[in-house]
Amino acid sequence: MTERQGWVILLSLLGATIVGAVAFMIYLVQTQGVEQLMPTAVRQMAQPAYRGMNVGVNPTTLVMREAPDPADPHDVRDIAQAMNGPAAPAFNTQFHPGQASPGAARPAVTTRADGVIAVQMPSRSPLATPVVDDGRVFVSAGFSSTAFHALDAATGQPLWSAGLSDNGPSAAAVDDGVCVLNTESCTVFALDARSGKARWAHYLGDPQMSRPAIGGGLAFTSYPAPGGLAVNFSHDIAQDDQRMVGTHVVAAFDLHSGALRWQRWIDGDIMTEPVYHDGALHLATFSGTLYRFDAQSGDILAARANRATSAPTIHQGQIVYTVRADDAADGDAVAEAVVADDLATGRRVQRFAAAAAPQIDADVQRHTGYFKTGRQLDAGNGFGDGAPPASNAELALANIGLNSVSALQAFEGSRPAAAGDRLYATRGDRVECLDTQSGQTLWTFPLEGDLESAGGSLGTPPLLVNGQVLVATLSGKLLLLDADTGRLDTSYDLHAPVRSRPAATATHAYVPTETGQLLIVAMER
């Protein structure tokens, strides 16, 4: 063998080795996710990241992008568009039908000595927020049930009851004679609001942890779809907080026929519910990203990585919500702030004073009764090992401190209500009134209970009714506070804990309890 032949053989072997190594690296990225290529210490450093944690998800492609505009680092619209670009996996467009049938076990209706009407669901499990429409109350029969009911708003008597093919019915959206709801185990149902008969139902994916919205003749919901595109907008792939991963899909269906109109990848399940306003769909994901879509076309109009911790409220040309206000990388205590952004530009208009927020601190919540109850409820619905990987619940844990399917489906956080130049928010252990012009806190009303042992919040997000602020509490009270002063006007004993927001008319409050009762309270005026 000549020296030249020897070099040829050596270089050939070296080339084959390099090609094999590259092929193996590509295989690892495609099957294990890019995190598996990082040293353990690097992966551990990345854990405090609030989005893009990619738990239980193997992205099909990793796309390197330029970083966002340094002048506006929260703007990730280009990244969200790339996540939905030509390299993104195809969406499922053929959905198995769900089943809804009449004849579900009806609740027992009694009138207590204090005049409160109590509608007891057989499941005795937590109820979702009810909806009142056209003299009817639409309400789930409980997280552990497979039933949904329409009740007479005055008497509580059942008008129809639907048995569903899946359990864990969510809160509903009702419009134009159609009642739309999700079940945590996979299906979106559209029922006739008058009769309860099924209009259409699609099995989408397990679990669904948000409630639907209706607007512009469409029904909007979300579902898990592991395997979406991972878009990295930093060339340092060790930085998890510099990437977005498509783990869920937001979808629009024709309200009356159920025909699919559009779908888009998003980086987590929708927090609480999407919000339809003036032809646009607004939503926050459990990863903390705030999106705005054209409701009819699905075009991505805006996406901002703001560390959102509540669904948005639209008010006077602004989008109002809460955000994480701490820096976990620096070891700061978990904090939360109420913010208001310009609806058109997304630019920050007002940021109210940040405050400690143990109600969204994972280190606090892991040791609470609510965290334990969430695991028990999940186990009863078939999640014996906790929320399934498809939920990407660990991403929610990093942002809002909870990771059970039941708690995430019920989560509303410190979502503000708005009227005039004031915002009202329940922030863990108190109700606050904030001035939108000055940013000052005008009044605070403390709530009963031990926040750090109970877990979650001690009261529901506020409702504004008849110039009063309505809040139900974990201690079993329905409070009516004067909206101007915060003075307690009236308190009703519920004799049951409440975590989900009530519904209300000018005369009645409809309060869902953690023990499976819907309480109808006639309010004094």
Side-chain angles (χ1 to χ4, degrees):
M1 179 185 299
T2 66
E3 180 178 352
R4 181 178 179 181
Q5 289 174 325
W7 277 108
V8 170
I9 293 172
L10 179 61
L11 290 173
S12 298
L13 291 173
L14 180 60
T17 301
I18 293 173
V19 170
V22 170
F24 183 67
M25 294 283 284
I26 293 173
Y27 167 79
L28 284 178
V29 170
Q30 292 178 334
T31 61
Q32 302 298 319
V34 72
E35 286 88 345
Q36 300 306 315
L37 305 183
M38 303 179 193
T40 300
V42 174
R43 292 200 300 271
Q44 290 174 343
M45 289 171 60
Q47 287 308 300
Y50 60 90
R51 59 188 175 83
M53 292 182 68
N54 193 27
V55 176
V57 179
N58 295 322
T60 57
T61 310
L62 180 67
V63 179
M64 305 303 293
R65 304 281 294 183
E66 293 300 321
D69 181 358
D72 190 9
H74 298 296
D75 185 351
V76 292
R77 179 179 177 229
D78 287 349
I79 312 306
Q81 289 177 327
M83 195 167 66
N84 285 277
F91 296 109
N92 180 24
T93 59
Q94 300 296 320
F95 304 110
H96 296 296
Q99 302 296 322
S101 57
R106 296 199 166 196
V109 182
T110 58
T111 301
R112 302 189 325 200
D114 58 4
V116 171
I117 297 173
V119 183
Q120 179 66 64
M121 304 298 174
S123 75
R124 298 185 178 272
S125 60
L127 302 188
T129 294
V131 174
V132 183
D133 183 78
D134 194 24
R136 298 177 174 223
V137 184
F138 300 86
V139 64
S140 155
F143 182 78
S144 302
S145 79
T146 57
F148 194 87
H149 304 286
L151 313 174
D152 184 280
T155 66
Q157 292 296 329
L159 299 174
W160 54 256
S161 298
L164 309 175
S165 52
D166 291 314
N167 55 10
S170 72
V174 181
D175 189 43
D176 200 17
V178 184
C179 172
V180 183
L181 64 135
N182 291 332
T183 56
E184 62 80 6
S185 56
C186 327
T187 304
V188 56
F189 292 89
L191 309 177
D192 185 281
R194 301 300 297 178
S195 68
K197 293 181 179 179
R199 295 281 193 94
W200 52 269
H202 300 315
Y203 178 103
L204 298 178
D206 189 10
Q208 291 180 273
M209 301 183 296
S210 66
R211 66 190 67 159
I214 296 174
L218 300 175
F220 305 95
T221 191
S222 59
Y223 65 92
L229 191 66
V231 180
N232 195 330
F233 51 93
S234 168
H235 290 285
D236 181 358
I237 64 172
Q239 295 299 312
D240 258 1
D241 62 348
Q242 297 295 298
R243 68 196 302 244
M244 293 176 68
V245 182
T247 64
H248 287 70
V249 172
V250 57
F253 299 94
D254 183 273
L255 177 61
H256 294 283
S257 71
L260 178 65
R261 290 294 183 84
W262 56 261
Q263 300 187 86
R264 295 293 181 271
W265 290 99
I266 53 178
D267 64 334
D269 206 348
I270 295 175
M271 195 181 299
T272 310
E273 62 186 349
V275 177
Y276 177 87
H277 176 80
D278 196 22
L281 188 73
H282 304 262
L283 62 91
T285 63
F286 279 115
S287 68
T289 304
L290 197 68
Y291 293 83
R292 176 161 54 96
F293 298 90
D294 182 284
Q296 292 298 321
S297 68
D299 290 346
I300 301 172
L301 303 178
R304 301 183 66 80
N306 285 348
R307 302 182 77 187
T309 56
S310 80
T313 296
I314 311 299
H315 181 63
Q316 295 183 340
Q318 295 180 356
I319 183 165
V320 184
Y321 56 107
T322 56
V323 297
R324 285 284 289 265
D326 54 286
D327 185 350
D330 293 339
D332 291 352
V334 171
E336 186 177 57
V338 178
V339 297
D341 297 344
D342 184 270
L343 188 60
T345 67
R347 300 289 182 170
R348 185 64 38 86
V349 176
Q350 185 66 270
R351 175 184 167 119
F352 301 90
Q359 71 272 14
I360 58 169
D361 185 339
D363 290 338
V364 173
Q365 294 301 309
R366 283 189 179 98
H367 306 289
T368 64
Y370 190 41
F371 203 86
K372 180 180 179 181
T373 299
R375 292 300 184 93
Q376 293 171 341
L377 288 167
D378 280 11
N381 278 19
F383 300 126
D385 295 326
S391 69
N392 220 356
E394 294 308 300
L395 181 149
L397 181 69
N399 191 38
I400 54 98
L402 299 169
N403 69 348
S404 64
V405 173
S406 61
L408 296 181
Q409 188 194 61
F411 182 79
E412 295 192 75
S414 301
R415 185 180 185 181
D421 59 358
R422 296 191 175 188
L423 301 176
Y424 302 88
T426 299
R427 305 184 68 186
D429 59 358
R430 64 200 181 280
V431 182
E432 290 184 347
C433 174
L434 308 172
D435 186 291
T436 61
Q437 302 301 313
S438 67
Q440 298 300 309
T441 300
L442 300 179
W443 56 257
T444 299
F445 185 90
L447 299 174
E448 296 179 9
D450 185 338
L451 184 67
E452 295 196 11
S453 65
S457 291
L458 299 181
T460 63
L463 286 177
L464 302 178
V465 184
N466 303 327
Q468 295 175 306
V469 180
L470 183 153
V471 174
T473 72
L474 192 60
S475 63
K477 303 284 187 181
L478 179 65
L479 308 177
L480 293 175
L481 311 176
D482 183 274
D484 291 328
T485 66
R487 180 191 68 245
L488 177 62
D489 286 341
T490 311
S491 174
Y492 301 92
D493 286 322
L494 301 174
H495 305 293
V498 181
R499 290 191 181 274
S500 293
R501 180 170 51 87
T505 64
T507 57
H508 289 79
Y510 301 86
V511 187
T513 75
E514 293 294 283
T515 57
Q517 287 184 321
L518 180 73
L519 302 177
I520 302 177
V521 181
M523 296 183 293
E524 299 176 2
R525 298 193 63 182

